[in-house]
Each structure stands twice: as C-alpha cells, then as structure tokens.
Amino acid sequence: MLYSEKKERESRFKLALKVAFPFTLVLIFVAYFMFKEGDFTREDVILFVILLLCYVYYATYLIYIGFKKSLIDPVSKVFVRDEILKIIAKDIKKEKVNNIVLMRIKNIIDINDRYGYRNGDEMLRIFIVEFNKFMEEHKFRNLPIGRFINGNFIFAVMCKSANLHHILNMFERKIANQTINNIELKMEYATIDANYDKN
C-alpha cells in the first residue's frame, strides 16, 4: 500500500472520530444530568432533540467536506498537488529532506492518444506502484509522492545527491528495458536541492 493511501485512510479515520466525538460527549452530559436529577421535563426533551438535530447537521457537514477534499489523486493514488506541496514544505522546514525530485513520463500523451485514456491512467498507476516498490527495495519507505500534473510526479527525499541520481538512473533503465501491458514507458527526472529556494 502506498504511503499516500495510508494517509488517506488515516484522514478518514480521524474524520470519523470527529463525527463521533461530539455526539458521544453530548450523550454523556445529557445522560448524566437526566439520571442525576431523576425527572424528565418537557424542556429537557426539547433541548435533547435540538442537540440531536444540531449533531446530525454537524455530522453531515463534516462528511460532505471530508469526501469533497481528497488527499489522493483518483487516478494514480498518490497525493494531490496541494497536499504534496504542503508535505514537502513541512519536511523542508523540519530539515527532513534535502532533495526534491520531479519525475515525468515523457510519452504519456502518446500513450493516451494511441491506447486511450483508460490505458494511460492505468500506466500512471502501475508506474507509480513499480516506482514505490523500487524505492522500498532501496530503503526509502513511506515516501510521499504527489502527482503534479499529467504524467509529472514530485517527491522529496533525504539522500545524498550522487546516491539519489544513481538510484533514479537505475529505475529509469529498468523502466526503459521493460514494457507494462505491452506499452513502452519513457521517463526522465530532474532534481533540485531543497535548500535552493524555500518557496
């Protein structure tokens, strides 16, 4: 499972906790006061119904916002552009990364034109799964990868530049020497020092 998919699952779980927590808290307080006093008045029932309606609205709103905002790209299952840029900015601030990499599938437009967008989307997904597996084999686990635009992917990593170039060159050769679903992929990459420009 990709790191982005783990984070998406974590985000949905946190959302579920946010939805459940206020309701649980209100029920605890209402139950405590009702059982403490021992008698139920009309106002208590009305207040409880109003609180329940407010909770239903609150829960619906949170669920709507949660599904509206996705952390991951529906095609490639990596982080969306806004989310990966936030992650990279935070990692740079904490000095957890020293290189930013932009990878590009050079022939994605040709693949889309020749084999259709469905196959193009499948190639993006398979490419990123292969890349993630390759990086895990080289001890880069939970690597946050984001789709910048079309066939462009961006990520940041803590690694010596020479070592990073060697690893990326090996992956580039691996991709060049194999086909995925009988479709040839061509990739290229560019790296930049994360401290070059804080923006």
Side-chain angles (χ1 to χ4, degrees), residues 82-131:
D82 292 340
E83 191 63 27
I84 191 65
L85 292 178
K86 282 183 205 169
I87 291 169
I88 290 172
K90 191 166 75 174
D91 286 349
I92 289 172
K93 198 177 279 187
K94 292 180 179 178
E95 297 182 359
K96 290 168 99 179
V97 297
N98 63 354
N99 283 294
I100 299 171
V101 180
L102 179 69
M103 279 189 319
R104 181 170 81 95
I105 299 175
K106 294 193 291 187
N107 61 335
I108 192 65
I109 293 171
D110 292 337
I111 291 170
N112 287 336
D113 290 344
R114 190 175 295 173
Y115 301 102
Y117 284 96
R118 191 171 289 170
N119 283 322
D121 290 348
E122 184 65 18
M123 288 301 99
L124 291 175
R125 173 76 179 134
I126 293 171
F127 170 80
I128 214 65
V129 167
E130 289 289 321
F131 178 71

Side-chain angles (χ1 to χ4, degrees), residues 64-81:
Y64 174 76
I65 294 298
F67 284 113
K68 188 176 174 186
K69 181 192 174 213
S70 178
L71 296 178
I72 62 174
D73 174 58
V75 173
S76 58
K77 305 298 184 203
V78 296
F79 290 110
V80 294
R81 184 188 325 173

